[in-house]
């Protein structure tokens, strides 16, 4: 095992201590994920276990894929398909797929995503006559999620102090309906797996025997249910290794709890604890900045990372006029970087909230930079995709009422709202699914015309179901498109939007084809499973692209260059609480988030903020983030500040290809701009930093010279 040399002493100790509980507590970029990967490779190479005896938990599906790839490179001749490397949710879904019938669900359950969940809660509010003005659905949704994450069922809620009785009512009904629909939400996957284990000791024992080695990455962000799941599974062999960093705990809103690190040390009191202190990822400057920022948090285990890496460039700071200018700066800088040799996938643009992405998307498109938005505009959340998926879900489980109502009249088949209402009322009254109501439609008094339409619909679903039995996933999708006329109705329309929708559907078929190629058991159910679980942090595209994502989604990743944007008070940090103690807690979590963001960068870190930003469409002035102030000035180089008009080149440092002919521009010169085309210079600022060009196509535009990339012609 030559590759053991690729580990430092502490890392090696963590890899070789295979037996018994182990906690690796260490800062960003110190090789925690590497330890997990190499440990698995070591266990397999030493023949301590088969791939089927390994359960490794990562935070995203993408991280799981990467880990599998790395392990494959380190280990020869093994069959990897039996190795469980996945997120908590995917591991639990896999267990429930085989065992759910033991706890009163069918193994062909569906998984409800965030939107389904919202929809179902709305339904609960209606049925219980609760006014959503009085009780916020999102609040209830969070409460229920918290309960489940703490393994508190509806009947146990009262034991945990004051809870609004309406919340409890909704919780009960919500769970009841999920069961009727034979569905789990994300939190349920863990909750019911724990229930399964507790109620069926023999099943638990089976999995305890199976998983001889359990490993968890990003342990600081596990919640109680996840901890308990691991605890139960590891009771037999006790070979459980968790790695984490308390400074990177950024999911407390999802019930993740630093206490879990302490809980681990308590429950596994004989656990070995290993610390890693050397950072391999970032330049000295970037690491120092990160250390300085996180130092401002009071509630943390003190530790300081060091690195052998070079000092590197200073951290660049750009103060933009507004968010459009900020995006323009980022896009032009990215373009420069790529032209000077950086690969697009080595560049990450990070922001605090999803809504910020659109400006960067627009600007990058304008500069023809290939990019992907990781998370936000999830492909599978687009309407047309959800429609087709609803059909597919009905095929596997016709009692999934949400899916049924989604497409009962899509494409339009004359089944109106009043009929839909009536079906809902009947299903509620008799406690049966909508599909059953339709099957037994003769018993209810639908008028003749409606009856006919329902007939057609039910036989459509019946036919699809029957035919799909012998078809692959791609064939099934095509069958659905064909039989429902869905694609036809899109293609016959002339609008660009509809055309895009048709394109998306084409992409769905391509994704299904990829799924079929990559999976051993490419069933429709597994396909649906995989797309519901491709969580917000995930993205399946593997092309060369710049990544746009929230800081949350960037956890565990690394980039050569990171643009950390929107560093403004009220945006990052985004503190909502008014009560001082709460606000302080939130600020500390924001600071950990900032620490995560900074430590993603290997070579270059660029910070930006806007002096003005449109908030709810209104232009408002902004203040730069306290986090910028927390980085000592010596590490920072200001690129351009439009307020004070101070200016230093940033692009010169990273881009030697700047066009020299631009230096002696004069009013009247003809120039070419990549996006705006040909124009004439009509104004130059005194300091020659800014220019107004009258473009032939789009008229006058004010530009910052060093980013505009103008060519004199
Ligand atoms: P994070 O806290 O951000 O998840 P981490 O602790 O999991 O970080 P890794 O991602 O495992 O850190 O490692 C960070 C980088 O350092 C990776 O590029 C990894 O390949 C590299 N690295 C880790 N250990 C070593 C080593 N001993 N020698 C050389 N490179 C290393
Ligand atoms: Mg990691």
């Amino acid at each position: 095992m030559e590759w053991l040399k690729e580990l430092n002493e502490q890392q090696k100790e963590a890899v070789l201590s295979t037996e018994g509980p182990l906690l690796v507590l260490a800062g960003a970029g110190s090789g925690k994920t590497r330890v997990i990967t190499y440990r698995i490779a070591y266990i397999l190479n030493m023949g301590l276990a088969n791939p089927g005896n390994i359960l490794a938990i990562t935070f995203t599906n993408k991280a799981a894929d990467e880990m599998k790839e790395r392990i494959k490179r380190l280990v020869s001749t093994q069959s990897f398909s039996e190795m469980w490397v996945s997120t908590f949710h995917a591991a639990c879904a896999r267990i429930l797929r085989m065992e759910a019938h033991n706890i009163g669900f069918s193994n062909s359950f569906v998984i409800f995503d965030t939107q389904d969940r919202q929809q179902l809660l709305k339904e609960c509010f209606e049925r219980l006559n609760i006014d959503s003005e009085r009780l916020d659905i999102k609040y209830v949704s969070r409460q229920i999620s918290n309960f489940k994450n703490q393994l508190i069922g509806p009947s146990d809620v009262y034991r945990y102090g004051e809870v609004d009785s309406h919340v409890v009512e909704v919780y009960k009904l919500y769970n009841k309906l999920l069961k009727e629909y034979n569905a789990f939400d994300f939190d349920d996957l863990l909750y019911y797996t724990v229930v399964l284990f507790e109620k069926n000791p023999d099943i638990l024992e089976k999995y305890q025997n199976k998983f001889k080695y359990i490993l968890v990455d990003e342990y600081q962000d596990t919640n109680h249910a996840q901890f308990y799941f691991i605890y139960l599974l590891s009771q037999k062999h006790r070979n459980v290794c968790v790695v984490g960093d308390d400074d990177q705990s950024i999911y407390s809103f999802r019930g993740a709890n630093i206490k879990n690190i302490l809980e681990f040390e308590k429950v596994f009191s004989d656990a070995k604890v290993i610390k890693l202190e050397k950072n391999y990822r970032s330049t000295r400057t970037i690491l120092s900045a990160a250390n300085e920022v996180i130092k401002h948090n009071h509630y943390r285990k003190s530790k300081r990372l060091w690195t052998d890496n070079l000092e590197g460039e200073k951290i660049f700071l750009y103060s933009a006029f507004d968010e459009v200018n900020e995006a323009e700066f980022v896009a032009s800088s990215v373009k420069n970087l790529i032209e000077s040799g950086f690969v697009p996938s080595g560049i990450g643009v990070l922001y605090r909230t999803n809504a910020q992405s659109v400006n960067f998307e627009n600007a990058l498109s304008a500069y023809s930079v290939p990019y992907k938005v990781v998370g936000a505009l999830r492909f599978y959340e687009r309407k047309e995709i959800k429609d087709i998926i609803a059909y597919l879900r009905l095929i596997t489980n016709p009692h999934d009422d949400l899916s049924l109502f989604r497409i009962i009249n899509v494409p339009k088949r004359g089944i109106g709202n009043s009929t839909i209402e009536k079906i809902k009322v009947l299903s509620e009254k008799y406690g049966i699914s909508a599909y059953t109501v339709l099957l037994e439609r003769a018993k209810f008094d639908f008028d003749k015309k409606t009856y006919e339409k329902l007939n057609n619909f039910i036989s459509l679903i019946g036919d699809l179901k029957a035919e799909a039995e012998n078809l692959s996933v791609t064939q099934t999708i095509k069958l659905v498109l064909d039989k429902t006329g869905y694609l036809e109705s899109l293609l016959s329309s002339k609008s660009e939007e509809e055309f895009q929708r048709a394109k998306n559907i084409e992409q769905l078929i391509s994704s299904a084809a990829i799924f079929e190629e990559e999976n051993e058991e490419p069933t429709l159910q597994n396909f649906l499973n995989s797309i519901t679980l491709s969580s917000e942090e995930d993205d399946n595209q593997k092309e060369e692209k710049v990544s746009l994502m929230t800081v949350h989604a960037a956890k565990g990743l690394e980039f050569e260059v990171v643009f950390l944007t929107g560093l403004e008070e009220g945006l990052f940090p985004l503190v909502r609480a008014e009560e001082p103690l709460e606000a302080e807690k939130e600020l500390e979590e924001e600071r950990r988030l900032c620490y995560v963001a900074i430590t993603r960068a290997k070579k270059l870190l660029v910070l930006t903020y806007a002096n003005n930003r449109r908030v709810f469409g209104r232009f408002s002035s902004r203040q730069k983030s306290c986090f910028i102030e927390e980085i000592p000035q010596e590490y920072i180089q200001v690129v351009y500040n439009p307020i004070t008009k101070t200016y230093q080149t940033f692009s010169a440092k990273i881009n030697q290809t700047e066009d020299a002919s631009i230096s002696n521009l004069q009013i009247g010169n003809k120039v070419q701009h990549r996006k705006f085309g040909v124009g004439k210079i009509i104004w130059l600022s005194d300091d020659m930093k800014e220019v107004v060009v009258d473009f032939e196509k789009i008229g006058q535009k004010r530009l910052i010279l060093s980013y505009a990339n103008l060519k004199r012609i």
Side-chain angles (χ1 to χ4, degrees):
M1 277 178 272
E2 265 298 291
W3 44 259
L4 280 176
K5 286 201 208 107
E6 294 164 20
L7 300 167
N8 67 30
E9 280 313 306
Q10 291 77 23
Q11 290 174 334
K12 204 184 291 172
E13 192 187 350
V15 167
L16 301 187
S17 317
T18 54
E19 310 306 299
L22 172 71
L23 168 65
V24 177
L25 203 55
S30 59
K32 296 183 296 296
T33 304
R34 179 178 276 220
V35 161
I36 293 222
T37 313
Y38 281 53
R39 197 174 147 95
I40 295 172
Y42 179 76
I43 289 167
L44 294 178
N45 271 354
M46 292 296 285
L48 299 173
N50 298 318
N53 300 131
I54 304 239
L55 172 65
I57 302 289
T58 58
F59 205 73
T60 61
N61 295 329
K62 192 172 166 203
D65 288 343
E66 277 177 24
M67 190 173 281
K68 271 186 248 172
E69 283 309 309
R70 299 236 163 91
I71 296 170
K72 280 181 198 168
R73 267 186 262 141
L74 299 174
V75 183
S76 49
T77 63
Q78 295 266 7
S79 66
F80 294 102
S81 59
E82 284 166 26
M83 189 167 61
W84 289 37
V85 181
S86 72
T87 61
F88 273 111
H89 289 128
C92 290
R94 198 164 167 182
I95 293 173
L96 289 171
R97 248 327 142 219
M98 297 180 277
E99 316 286 355
H101 61 278
N102 294 298
I103 46 167
F105 285 80
S106 136
N107 289 5
S108 63
F109 60 83
V110 290
I111 302 171
F112 276 12
D113 68 12
T114 322
Q115 285 181 10
D116 300 330
R117 176 195 170 97
Q118 211 68 11
Q119 193 60 38
L120 188 59
L121 281 168
K122 234 161 115 192
E123 172 86 31
C124 294
F125 271 54
E126 274 170 26
R127 287 201 191 186
L128 294 168
N129 272 324
I130 300 175
D131 183 358
S132 58
E133 293 284 306
R134 212 189 64 72
L135 190 63
D136 182 22
I137 291 196
K138 286 206 172 125
Y139 166 77
V140 178
S141 172
R142 270 199 310 273
Q143 285 277 80
I144 292 179
S145 181
N146 281 342
F147 287 137
K148 289 187 177 175
N149 288 335
Q150 292 179 60
L151 300 174
I152 301 171
S155 46
D156 302 327
V157 166
Y158 286 110
R159 279 200 264 131
Y160 293 81
E162 288 269 315
V163 184
D164 186 327
S165 65
H166 287 309
V167 174
V168 184
E169 268 182 78
V170 177
Y171 188 11
K172 280 190 180 142
L173 181 60
Y174 173 74
N175 266 11
K176 182 167 163 270
L177 290 180
L178 279 171
K179 191 146 189 183
E180 273 175 24
Y181 295 174
N182 195 27
F184 292 118
D185 68 18
F186 284 134
D187 303 317
D188 283 340
L189 293 173
L190 272 138
Y191 181 88
Y192 281 109
T193 306
V194 169
V195 168
L196 168 81
F197 286 162
E198 292 207 308
K199 292 210 168 139
N200 302 275
D202 51 324
I203 296 178
L204 172 61
E205 201 183 338
K206 184 170 83 186
Y207 288 94
Q208 283 177 337
N209 287 335
K210 175 175 169 57
F211 295 124
K212 286 194 182 142
Y213 293 94
I214 298 175
L215 308 96
V216 186
D217 198 1
E218 306 280 359
Y219 181 72
Q220 76 280 356
D221 278 326
T222 50
N223 59 39
H224 178 69
Q226 292 165 337
F227 165 78
Y228 200 64
F229 168 75
I230 291 299
Y231 167 76
L232 286 176
L233 276 181
S234 60
Q235 279 315 289
K236 174 135 193 180
H237 293 287
R238 299 187 88 249
N239 298 326
V240 52
C241 161
V242 304
V243 311
D245 176 6
D246 53 320
D247 285 335
Q248 292 186 71
S249 165
I250 55 174
Y251 276 91
S252 68
F253 66 90
R254 264 200 214 161
N257 205 326
I258 297 186
K259 278 197 208 124
N260 280 329
I261 295 183
L262 306 175
E263 203 168 355
F264 186 86
E265 286 179 297
K266 202 166 104 197
V267 171
F268 296 98
S269 53
D270 55 336
K272 187 168 191 168
V273 181
I274 293 180
K275 295 200 168 156
L276 309 174
E277 281 167 342
K278 181 169 172 183
N279 172 295
Y280 288 90
R281 182 180 293 144
S282 309
T283 64
R284 270 213 317 275
T285 304
I286 293 170
L287 189 64
S288 307
N291 277 334
E292 289 296 328
V293 168
I294 198 65
K295 220 171 71 183
H296 287 78
N297 268 7
H298 300 297
Y299 302 102
R300 66 185 286 255
K301 293 190 168 191
S302 174
K303 61 176 172 298
R304 199 170 174 95
L305 281 171
W306 62 279
T307 184
D308 270 347
N309 291 346
L310 295 174
E311 185 178 344
E313 296 285 351
K314 288 213 165 154
I315 293 165
F316 296 106
L317 175 65
Y318 179 73
S319 158
F321 173 68
D322 64 1
E323 74 272 28
V324 177
N325 174 246
E326 178 187 46
E328 170 92 10
F329 166 78
V330 169
S332 60
S333 307
V334 166
K335 182 92 186 168
N336 283 345
L337 288 166
I338 293 171
E339 281 172 358
S340 57
F342 283 89
V343 287
S345 59
I347 301 175
V349 178
L350 309 186
Y351 34 80
R352 176 65 182 81
T353 62
N354 266 316
Q356 286 162 259
S357 81
V358 59
N359 294 307
F360 298 110
E361 292 186 54
N362 292 342
L364 288 167
S365 308
Y367 279 85
S368 319
V369 174
Y371 69 86
K372 60 179 174 187
V373 182
V374 181
L377 272 178
R378 261 200 294 173
F379 179 73
Y380 294 111
E381 277 181 4
R382 293 175 193 159
K383 178 189 177 306
E384 59 281 10
I385 302 302
K386 290 214 81 164
D387 289 347
I388 303 303
I389 288 173
Y391 276 103
L392 300 178
R393 273 164 56 157
L394 273 187
I395 290 175
T396 60
N397 174 16
H399 302 290
D400 174 359
D401 285 6
L402 278 195
S403 296
L404 184 134
F405 286 122
R406 182 175 182 99
I407 50 81
I408 189 165
N409 199 31
V410 179
K412 293 215 171 0
R413 45 177 78 91
I415 302 177
N417 280 342
S418 58
T419 308
I420 293 176
E421 263 321 300
K422 185 165 170 180
I423 300 171
K424 281 190 181 167
V425 170
L426 288 169
S427 105
E428 190 178 340
K429 185 168 163 199
Y430 294 103
I432 52 180
S433 71
Y435 185 73
T436 315
V437 172
L438 294 182
L439 282 180
E440 313 208 331
R441 58 201 175 280
K443 290 190 191 152
F444 309 112
D445 58 334
F446 290 106
D447 65 66
K448 194 154 175 291
K449 253 163 102 187
T450 310
Y451 189 82
E452 269 308 299
K453 288 171 187 157
L454 295 180
N455 254 355
N456 290 343
F457 176 71
I458 207 84
S459 57
L460 170 74
I461 300 298
D463 288 353
L464 288 174
K465 217 169 134 45
E467 282 192 52
E469 298 220 324
N470 302 314
L471 297 180
S472 70
V473 180
T474 45
Q475 286 168 331
T476 308
I477 299 175
K478 286 181 189 158
L479 177 78
V480 168
L481 294 172
D482 196 349
K483 289 246 165 178
T484 60
Y486 195 99
L487 197 55
E488 210 173 65
S489 74
L490 289 182
L491 289 174
S492 63
S493 159
K494 293 221 159 43
S495 86
E496 172 65 19
E497 201 194 15
E498 306 282 46
F499 177 74
Q500 286 303 337
R501 289 187 193 283
K503 282 270 161 223
N504 283 336
I505 289 180
E506 272 176 31
Q507 177 60 40
L508 177 67
I509 298 174
S510 314
S511 306
I514 294 171
F515 169 82
E516 283 169 4
E517 281 164 29
E518 290 185 347
N519 276 273
E520 271 187 305
E521 270 184 85
T523 61
L524 183 56
Q525 226 165 54
N526 284 341
F527 178 64
L528 291 173
N529 215 357
S530 75
I531 55 189
T532 329
L533 289 173
S534 71
S535 68
E536 295 193 8
E537 284 79 15
D538 285 321
D539 189 79
N540 293 321
Q541 294 158 314
K542 290 182 181 128
E543 293 155 67
E544 255 314 318
K545 287 177 177 171
V546 172
S547 297
L548 269 59
M549 65 181 92
T550 62
V551 181
H552 280 102
K555 200 166 66 136
L557 306 181
E558 57 189 21
F559 299 95
E560 298 293 312
V561 186
V562 166
F563 288 85
L564 177 53
T565 66
L567 279 165
E568 295 145 36
E569 285 297 298
L571 183 57
F572 198 3
L574 186 69
V575 174
R576 279 160 283 205
E578 283 174 14
E579 200 264 315
L581 256 176
E582 256 323 285
E584 180 61 25
K585 252 168 73 184
E586 282 188 15
L587 181 63
E588 296 224 339
E589 174 129 335
E590 293 291 308
R591 196 175 278 113
R592 289 193 291 273
L593 204 49
C594 184
Y595 174 78
V596 169
I598 294 174
T599 53
R600 298 311 95 200
K602 291 163 93 169
K603 299 263 162 55
L604 219 53
L605 175 64
V606 186
L607 311 177
T608 68
Y609 67 96
N611 289 286
N612 302 281
R613 186 175 289 274
R614 288 157 195 85
V615 181
F616 294 115
R618 286 225 323 268
F619 215 60
S620 68
S621 73
R622 318 284 295 176
Q623 266 182 359
K624 73 174 161 189
S625 166
C626 57
F627 299 146
I628 296 179
E629 311 287 350
E630 288 171 7
I631 301 175
Q633 285 302 307
E634 57 188 285
Y635 300 134
I636 291 186
Q637 178 173 349
V638 176
V639 181
Y640 175 76
N641 182 334
I643 305 273
T644 60
K645 299 246 174 197
T646 48
Y647 184 93
Q648 287 170 20
T649 42
F650 152 72
S651 54
K653 282 248 180 195
I654 55 171
N655 174 22
Q656 271 68 35
T657 63
E658 208 175 5
D659 190 352
S661 68
I662 223 74
S663 53
N664 42 19
L665 277 181
Q666 288 176 1
I667 292 177
N669 285 162
K670 239 180 146 185
V671 289
Q672 168 115 34
H673 183 275
R674 240 182 228 104
K675 174 174 142 198
F676 309 128
V678 176
K680 206 177 344 167
I681 294 187
I682 57 168
W683 177 84
L684 265 169
S685 65
D686 294 342
D687 56 4
M688 299 281 286
K689 306 291 191 220
E690 284 181 87
V691 63
V692 174
V693 181
D694 189 9
F695 289 103
E696 287 170 3
K697 280 198 211 125
I698 58 149
Q700 296 183 9
K701 199 142 177 84
R702 187 172 174 145
L703 303 164
I704 299 169
L705 254 184
S706 57
Y707 303 117
N709 260 324
L710 295 174
K711 299 260 184 300
R712 190 138 94 212
I713 51 174

mmCIF file of all heavy atoms in Angstrom, residues 9 13 159 581:
data_model
loop_
_atom_site.group_PDB
_atom_site.id
_atom_site.type_symbol
_atom_site.label_atom_id
_atom_site.label_comp_id
_atom_site.label_asym_id
_atom_site.label_seq_id
_atom_site.Cartn_x
_atom_site.Cartn_y
_atom_site.Cartn_z
ATOM 1 N N GLU A 9 1.438 11.733 9.868
ATOM 2 C CA GLU A 9 1.420 10.774 10.970
ATOM 3 C C GLU A 9 0.047 10.627 11.632
ATOM 4 O O GLU A 9 -0.434 9.520 11.857
ATOM 5 C CB GLU A 9 2.472 11.171 12.035
ATOM 6 C CG GLU A 9 3.880 10.749 11.665
ATOM 7 C CD GLU A 9 3.968 9.296 11.178
ATOM 8 O OE1 GLU A 9 3.506 8.406 11.912
ATOM 9 O OE2 GLU A 9 4.480 9.050 10.066
ATOM 10 N N GLU A 13 -2.431 7.392 11.623
ATOM 11 C CA GLU A 13 -2.936 6.766 12.840
ATOM 12 C C GLU A 13 -4.462 6.578 12.749
ATOM 13 O O GLU A 13 -4.997 5.529 13.104
ATOM 14 C CB GLU A 13 -2.587 7.635 14.056
ATOM 15 C CG GLU A 13 -2.842 6.891 15.351
ATOM 16 C CD GLU A 13 -2.661 7.770 16.580
ATOM 17 O OE1 GLU A 13 -2.153 8.897 16.432
ATOM 18 O OE2 GLU A 13 -3.047 7.309 17.663
ATOM 19 N N ARG A 159 -44.651 15.912 25.997
ATOM 20 C CA ARG A 159 -43.618 15.696 27.009
ATOM 21 C C ARG A 159 -42.482 16.698 26.874
ATOM 22 O O ARG A 159 -41.641 16.818 27.742
ATOM 23 C CB ARG A 159 -43.069 14.272 26.883
ATOM 24 C CG ARG A 159 -43.982 13.265 27.559
ATOM 25 C CD ARG A 159 -43.226 11.992 27.850
ATOM 26 N NE ARG A 159 -43.450 11.005 26.798
ATOM 27 C CZ ARG A 159 -42.490 10.344 26.197
ATOM 28 N NH1 ARG A 159 -41.233 10.572 26.495
ATOM 29 N NH2 ARG A 159 -42.776 9.449 25.272
ATOM 30 N N LEU A 581 -29.523 37.464 22.740
ATOM 31 C CA LEU A 581 -28.835 36.175 22.858
ATOM 32 C C LEU A 581 -28.984 35.336 21.599
ATOM 33 O O LEU A 581 -28.044 34.728 21.108
ATOM 34 C CB LEU A 581 -29.395 35.402 24.056
ATOM 35 C CG LEU A 581 -28.494 35.378 25.295
ATOM 36 C CD1 LEU A 581 -29.187 34.674 26.433
ATOM 37 C CD2 LEU A 581 -27.157 34.713 24.975
#
